[in-house]
Amino acid sequence: MENIIINIIICVIGLLGLFYGGEKLVAGSISTASIFKVNPQFIAITIIAFGTSFPELVVSINAVIDKSPGIAWGNVVGSNISNILLVLGLASLINPFSFKREAFTVNIFWLFTSTITFFLVSIGTKNISFYSGLAFIFILVLILSHVTYISKRNNQQKEIIGFEHNFSISKSILFIFFGIFILILSAEVLVNSAVKISSIVGVPETFIGLTVIAIGTSLPEITASIIAVKKGHSGIAIGNVIGSNIFNTLGIVGTAAIFSTADKFFVPKSFLIFDIPIMLISTLLFCLLIYYSDKISRNIGVLFIISYFVYIFLNLKIT
C-alpha cells in the first residue's frame, strides 16, 4: 500500500513536469519559427514531434534489449492510436480549433504512406527484420527531406504575419531543448512509477505497453498539443501528431528492429488481428478528417476520446 502511494505521488510530480516542459517547448518553438520566418507547422512536424517522441524511442530500445518486444510493440502502436484519439480528442475538448487544411496535404499523405507501409510489412511478414528496419529509417529520412524542401519552397511567411517572437534566438533554442529535456525526464519518471503500480496490480506485458507506457510516453504530445491549442496555434498541435506518428512507425520501429537481440522483431499475434488494424483505421479517419474538414470540434473530440476508451476496453477483453 505504501509503495503504491509513493508511486502515485511521483506520478503527480511527473505530470507537473510535463506541463512545465511542454509550455517551454511550445514557447521556444513558436519564437524560433517567427525568428527564422518558417511555418510553425514545420517546426511542429520536425523538432517538436521528434522531441516529444523521444520517450517512445528510449522505451522501445530498452524493451527490445531487455527481450520484452511486447512492450516495444505496445508502446509504438498504442502511442500512435492515443496520439490521434486521445491527444487531439483532449486538445479539442478543452479548446476546439480550426486550421487551414491545404497546409497539411503533403503531411497527411506521408502519414498515411508510412502507416500503410508499416501495416503491409507487419501483416505480410509478421516481423520487422534488421534490413526492414534500415529501410524504414531510410524512408523516414526521405520524408524529412521532402517536408523540408516543401517548407523552404513555399516559405509561407504569410502564415506568421502578426506572429511576433518574444525571445532571442539563443533563448528560443534553449527553451526548446530545455522543454524537451524536462518532457523526457518527466515522462520517464511517470512511466516508471505507472509500470510499478501496474506490476503490483498484475497485468500482461503487452497491455502495459498499449496503455500505461503508450499513454505515458504520449503525455509530452498531449501537453504540447493542449498548450499550443490554448495559445491559438492549432497547426502546431496537428503537426505534432502527424510528425510523431511518422517518427513512431518508421524511426522507432526501424530502430527497435535494428537493436533487437532476436533475429527478427516479431509482431505479437494479438497485434496482427486487432491493434495494428485499429491503428490503420484511426490514421485513415484522421487523414480524411484533415483533408475534408477545416476544424476539430468539441463533439469530434468527445467521439475520439470515447473511441479510445472503447478500444482500451476491447483490448483488455482480448488480452
Side-chain angles (χ1 to χ4, degrees), residues 115-132:
T115 304
I116 197 68
T117 301
F118 168 77
F119 175 82
L120 292 175
V121 173
S122 300
I123 299 297
T125 63
K126 297 179 176 57
N127 70 82
I128 306 295
S129 66
F130 175 85
Y131 294 105
S132 294

Side-chain angles (χ1 to χ4, degrees), residues 59-80:
V59 169
S60 295
I61 291 176
N62 287 338
V64 294
I65 290 176
D66 294 339
K67 298 182 179 180
S68 299
I71 288 181
W73 278 104
N75 180 32
V76 170
V77 176
S79 291
N80 274 24

Side-chain angles (χ1 to χ4, degrees), residues 56 60 92 104 134-135 158-159 178 191 200 260 267 317:
E56 283 98 328
S60 295
S92 60
F104 294 101
L134 288 177
K158 290 182 180 180
E159 290 284 327
F178 178 69
V191 170
I200 294 173
S260 179
V267 187
K317 288 291 185 180

Side-chain angles (χ1 to χ4, degrees), residues 74-97:
N75 180 32
V76 170
V77 176
S79 291
N80 274 24
I81 295 172
S82 67
N83 281 350
I84 293 173
L85 299 180
L86 194 60
V87 172
L88 290 179
L90 287 173
S92 60
L93 190 64
I94 292 174
N95 191 17
F97 53 93

Side-chain angles (χ1 to χ4, degrees), residues 156-181:
Q156 297 173 335
Q157 295 187 26
K158 290 182 180 180
E159 290 284 327
I160 53 176
I161 290 177
F163 179 83
E164 299 180 357
H165 61 86
N166 300 316
F167 315 118
S168 64
I169 180 59
S170 58
K171 189 173 182 179
S172 298
I173 294 175
L174 178 64
F175 268 32
I176 290 175
F177 285 101
F178 178 69
I180 290 174
F181 173 75

